[in-house]
């Protein structure tokens, strides 16, 4: 047998590639999201949202979603497919979809140019959707949509 020199254990720090924080403020579900995103994270996102919105959905209370992206908007093909399936499934279950969904995506976010047209097509099949480069513009649009729904 050929002798092999011992080497100290290498330590590498694992940094997650994606991160989600979700809160609910009244009629608005807010997400701080950092990609890139994979299928399991998309599923987890829907489970988190469902838990925060259970009372609103069960009582048919209108709500809206604002997602503020950091670092990356890239998604794997299977995560996009999962997103489509979850959106369609949530609509089939009879719970009201959000009045509107707004993405806040600064121009320097990785994948913005590639992913936004794809995601806009996905969302607009079932709900109002817009992407903004500023939080203030997204907030104004969301509040207008909620006010219009309340007035209807």
């Amino acid at each position: 047998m050929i002798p092999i020199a011992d080497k100290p254990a290498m330590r590498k720090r694992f940094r997650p590639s994606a991160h989600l924080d979700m809160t609910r403020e009244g009629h608005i579900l807010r997400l701080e999201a950092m990609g890139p995103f994979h299928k399991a994270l998309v599923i987890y996102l829907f489970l988190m949202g469902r838990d925060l919105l259970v009372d609103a959905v069960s009582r048919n209370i209108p709500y809206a979603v604002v997602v503020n992206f950091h670092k990356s908007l890239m998604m794997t093909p299977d995560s996009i497919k999962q997103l489509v399936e979850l959106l369609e499934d949530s609509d089939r279950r009879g719970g009201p979809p959000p009045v509107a969904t707004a993405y806040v995506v600064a121009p320097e976010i990785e994948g913005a140019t590639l992913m936004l047209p794809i995601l806009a097509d996905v969302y607009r099949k079932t709900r109002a959707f817009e992407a903004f480069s500023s939080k203030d513009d997204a907030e104004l649009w969301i509040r207008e949509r909620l006010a219009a729904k309340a007035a209807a």
Side-chain angles (χ1 to χ4, degrees), residues 11-110:
R11 290 191 168 197
K12 298 263 183 185
R13 195 171 197 129
F14 173 74
R15 299 200 190 278
S17 62
H19 180 79
L20 288 172
D21 283 323
M22 188 180 298
T23 58
R24 180 173 151 204
E25 296 174 9
H27 293 262
I28 301 175
L29 186 65
R30 298 187 184 281
L31 289 87
E32 297 293 326
M34 181 182 78
F37 302 95
H38 51 78
K39 182 178 177 178
L41 192 63
V42 171
I43 294 168
Y44 182 65
L45 165 71
F46 268 76
L47 293 174
M48 285 172 58
R50 183 190 65 198
D51 291 347
L52 284 172
L53 291 168
V54 69
D55 65 322
V57 170
S58 67
R59 294 184 305 164
N60 209 22
I61 297 171
Y63 66 96
V65 179
V66 178
V67 185
N68 185 31
F69 285 93
H70 304 272
K71 205 171 191 176
S72 177
L73 181 57
M74 293 300 293
M75 296 178 75
T76 61
D78 64 329
S79 66
I80 297 169
K81 182 180 176 195
Q82 186 66 57
L83 177 63
V84 170
E85 290 173 7
L86 288 167
L87 289 173
E88 290 172 351
D89 186 53
S90 68
D91 292 341
R92 277 193 304 271
R93 290 177 187 241
V99 171
T101 298
Y103 275 14
V104 180
V105 184
E108 67 272 7
I109 298 296
E110 176 189 44

Side-chain angles (χ1 to χ4, degrees), residues 116-126 129:
L116 277 176
I118 295 167
L119 294 169
D121 286 346
V122 166
Y123 277 96
R124 287 183 180 141
K125 289 178 183 172
T126 61
F129 173 85

